[in-house]
Amino acid sequence: MIGVSSSALFRRDMLKAGAAALCTAAASPAFGVAAAAPVAGGARPPRDQRRFVSPAVEQEIVRVKARIADPALRHLFETCYPNTLDTTVRLGIVDGKPDGFVITGDIEAMWLRDSSAQMQTYVHLCRRDPALRRLFHGVIQRQARCILIDSYANAFMADPQAKSNLGAIDDLTEMRAGVAERKWELDSLCYPMRLAYGYWSETRDTAPFDALWAKAMARAVATMREQQRKTDDGPYRFERVNRHATETLMLKGVGAPTRKVGLIHSMFRPSDDACTLPFLIPSNLFAVSALRMLAKVHVEARHDSAAAAECIALADEVDAALRTHERGAGYGRPRSDVRTRRPRARRRAQLRYRTRRAVDAGEWSLETCAGAGIRLRLPLTPDATGGGPALQHEHL
């Protein structure tokens, strides 16, 4: 594992390094279709050094390996699939209940998004493994406690009383104890909702969905409401001292201005880069889906129709806003309009450019200027050569 200092590489830097290493490995003959033997090294930790062992996962590895002909790919699956359990999981007890902390790769912190995605791949095995169900119970409970510490944070420390040991400790935001990084990313709240739904759908186990979990989910929904910013900018502010555009927010940490239309603001992307435009459409789509999943858990696991109604109301509102305002591949708008809007705008821009060139060359008329949206400013002033009047103009 790679050590992380207090100044810490951030996740994006590590992902870049990991991608480069993967590309180098993929270029080697061992990854070719005709590879004769598994790649050297990269073995799993010895069994007595693994953080968590699931009989169901071990059986799944045997089952899938038998279906992979290429020995290098077979070895890759055997090594990678259980890696979360082998190296990143810490299972304990908090208040008499399971507590599962899942670090993100080489960083000794737990991201809500990453821990959910890391565990999602095992959810279909929970039904036949009580130990794995206990681990999921612990992870769902830990995520709930993290959200209650700070629903705007994306990453958390193992010790809820500890200060961040990452460079984020210097960020200009409300860094509470237990928070490793405080970038508001809408999808960070969506992932725990999806994980809870996946676990409930597979096991029908009500144990993780207690009053603590319900309180955390209510806070998550309230945070999404706050970030619709209908009446004000909400409580979230974030600035990073290095001031790089991808790492900080403009306007004293508020972020770019928006017209409030019912979409949820996300100030950072899943990549941890700042959003230039806060209405991150994929994350809003995810929120609609995750809120509807959460509503099902409220109804089926907790018989809480009021909490479910809150989720559905917000999901429907965001969905309606997406249909009205999304500008992607024609979502909520006739395709004929998508085809014609941009060519019309392009023709107008070309007309304005040609007219501006004509004005600069002295070949102009009031009619062509008005048609191209160029305002004339009178009176005319002598040109720089003294040879006659020069036209002052500006674009509307």
Side-chain angles (χ1 to χ4, degrees), residues 51 76 82 140 186 240 271 282-283 297 367 376 388:
R51 292 185 180 273
L76 187 65
I140 291 170
L186 174 55
R240 181 154 282 177
S271 62
S283 290
V297 181
E367 291 77 17
L376 303 181

Side-chain angles (χ1 to χ4, degrees), residues 346-359:
R346 189 159 51 245
R347 286 194 296 271
R348 285 197 299 269
Q350 291 170 346
L351 175 61
R352 288 166 67 112
Y353 175 75
R354 288 196 300 268
T355 305
R356 180 174 61 81
R357 294 292 300 272
V359 168

Side-chain angles (χ1 to χ4, degrees), residues 7 16 30 44 94 145 148 162 165 169 178 187 220 235 242 251 256 270 272 287 295 299 308 347 356 386 390:
S7 59
K16 288 178 181 177
R44 297 176 65 185
V94 173
R145 286 194 294 275
L148 290 174
N165 60 1
I169 190 63
D187 69 297
N242 66 22
L251 298 180
D272 290 346
V299 169
R347 286 194 296 271
R356 180 174 61 81

Side-chain angles (χ1 to χ4, degrees), residues 101 108-112 146-147 149-150 153-158 178-180:
F101 191 82
E108 294 289 325
M110 177 169 162
W111 267 254
L112 293 177
C146 288
I147 291 170
I149 289 173
D150 188 349
N154 56 330
F156 298 84
M157 305 296 292
V179 171

Side-chain angles (χ1 to χ4, degrees), residues 359 362 364-366 369 375-384 387-394:
V359 168
W364 58 275
S365 70
L366 293 176
C369 288
R375 179 188 293 123
L376 303 181
R377 294 196 298 182
L378 298 177
L380 302 180
T381 58
D383 66 7
L391 181 68
Q392 298 183 45
H393 63 278
E394 62 181 351

Side-chain angles (χ1 to χ4, degrees), residues 38-242:
V39 293
R44 297 176 65 185
R47 190 178 181 89
D48 61 350
Q49 295 180 21
R50 297 171 190 171
R51 292 185 180 273
F52 186 89
V53 177
S54 163
V57 170
E58 298 301 321
Q59 293 167 12
E60 184 76 349
I61 292 171
V62 172
R63 183 188 71 82
V64 175
K65 279 177 61 181
R67 301 169 65 90
I68 301 175
D70 182 83
L73 292 178
R74 188 164 60 241
H75 176 77
L76 187 65
F77 172 78
E78 180 183 17
T79 304
C80 294
Y81 182 64
N83 185 261
T84 289
L85 303 183
D86 287 352
T87 66
T88 70
V89 168
R90 299 173 185 171
L91 185 59
I93 299 291
V94 173
D95 297 332
K97 300 175 184 178
D99 172 53
F101 191 82
V102 184
I103 69 169
T104 297
D106 299 312
I107 303 178
E108 294 289 325
M110 177 169 162
W111 267 254
L112 293 177
R113 174 202 310 111
D114 298 34
S115 60
S116 299
Q118 287 168 264
M119 294 299 298
Q120 189 77 35
T121 188
Y122 309 119
V123 73
H124 68 289
L125 303 173
C126 284
R127 208 173 341 181
R128 62 178 193 258
D129 189 341
L132 192 58
R133 288 200 298 273
R134 184 173 177 81
L135 175 59
F136 269 85
H137 184 171
V139 172
I140 291 170
Q141 287 278 299
R142 168 64 79 138
Q143 289 180 337
R145 286 194 294 275
C146 288
I147 291 170
L148 290 174
I149 289 173
D150 188 349
S151 57
Y152 284 102
N154 56 330
F156 298 84
M157 305 296 292
D159 180 359
Q161 301 303 318
K163 293 183 178 180
S164 175
N165 60 1
L166 305 179
I169 190 63
D170 298 322
D171 291 341
L172 305 179
T173 189
E174 185 183 356
M175 288 292 291
R176 301 176 185 175
V179 171
E181 187 175 56
R182 194 174 188 255
K183 287 184 173 180
W184 162 235
E185 300 162 349
L186 174 55
D187 69 297
S188 285
L189 293 183
C190 297
Y191 271 99
M193 297 177 185
R194 189 182 75 167
L195 184 67
Y197 173 77
Y199 179 79
W200 166 250
S201 299
E202 188 65 34
T203 66
R204 316 309 281 184
D205 175 17
T206 61
F209 308 117
D210 58 6
L212 175 79
W213 176 84
K215 183 179 179 181
M217 292 302 103
R219 180 62 202 136
V221 174
T223 301
M224 291 181 179
R225 283 282 187 195
E226 286 174 355
Q227 286 304 308
Q228 289 180 296
R229 301 188 178 186
K230 292 180 178 178
T231 58
D232 55 41
D233 291 328
Y236 181 73
R237 302 289 186 275
F238 182 96
E239 291 181 274
R240 181 154 282 177
V241 292
N242 66 22

Side-chain angles (χ1 to χ4, degrees), residues 305-349:
S305 57
E310 286 286 332
C311 297
I312 294 298
L314 179 55
D316 289 348
E317 184 177 342
V318 175
D319 186 46
L322 284 165
R323 294 179 182 278
T324 302
H325 300 286
E326 199 272 336
R327 301 299 189 195
Y331 183 69
R333 201 175 65 223
R335 290 189 60 83
S336 59
D337 192 23
V338 176
R339 294 190 185 102
T340 58
R341 275 181 84 91
R342 289 181 179 174
R344 285 203 302 268
R346 189 159 51 245
R347 286 194 296 271
R348 285 197 299 269

